[in-house]
Amino acid sequence: MSLALAPLDANVELEANLPCRKFDPDLWFADSPAELELAKSLCGDCPLRVECLAGAVEREEPWGVWGGEIFERGAVVPRKRPRGRPRKEDVARDAALRVEAQARLAASGLAESRSAVRLAA
């Protein structure tokens, strides 16, 4: 067995069980709203979800799914909108999801740790 292929520590084995390591990485950076929702759902049971989200908030990730949240231009967005003008019910749903996303950030302690956490409008 090659030393380059041998796990160096337990973190290597942990990484193998993370959803973002088991599935196609492009799923977390997809253009399709449905694929991003799937990536968000896969993050739900991840043991590193909170740390992943905290790191993404700190780095102001420009895009992708991090810690079960969708980032766009460095801000958490409730859902990815398809191109074109949104329907009225989508605008109302986005407002409710924005409140829910802020509540999840606050519940995980991220809203207090970074006062500049912003949600995209």
Side-chain angles (χ1 to χ4, degrees):
M1 182 164 135
S2 169
L3 289 177
L5 299 176
L8 298 176
D9 57 28
N11 289 335
V12 173
E13 291 180 20
L14 174 65
E15 285 183 13
N17 292 322
L18 300 178
C20 57
R21 302 288 192 241
K22 287 170 43 175
F23 297 96
D24 181 11
D26 291 339
L27 182 63
W28 276 259
F29 300 97
D31 288 328
S32 163
E35 289 179 345
L36 291 175
E37 289 300 321
L38 174 59
K40 280 176 59 174
S41 70
L42 292 172
C43 290
D45 294 329
C46 180
L48 298 179
R49 185 181 60 79
V50 173
E51 292 86 352
C52 179
L53 180 58
V57 167
E58 187 64 32
R59 291 185 308 271
E60 295 182 9
E61 283 294 337
W63 64 294
V65 174
W66 297 90
E69 298 292 341
I70 298 173
F71 281 76
E72 191 170 298
R73 295 185 196 101
V76 174
V77 295
R79 68 181 184 85
K80 171 114 176 163
R81 288 185 263 190
R83 293 182 179 254
R85 184 175 179 173
R87 293 180 285 175
K88 290 179 182 177
E89 60 266 15
D90 290 342
V91 172
R93 182 179 43 218
D94 284 351
L97 288 172
R98 223 178 276 112
V99 170
E100 180 184 336
Q102 184 63 46
R104 286 195 307 250
L105 286 170
S108 65
L110 295 175
E112 294 84 28
S113 67
R114 182 181 170 108
S115 60
V117 170
R118 59 188 180 95
L119 297 175

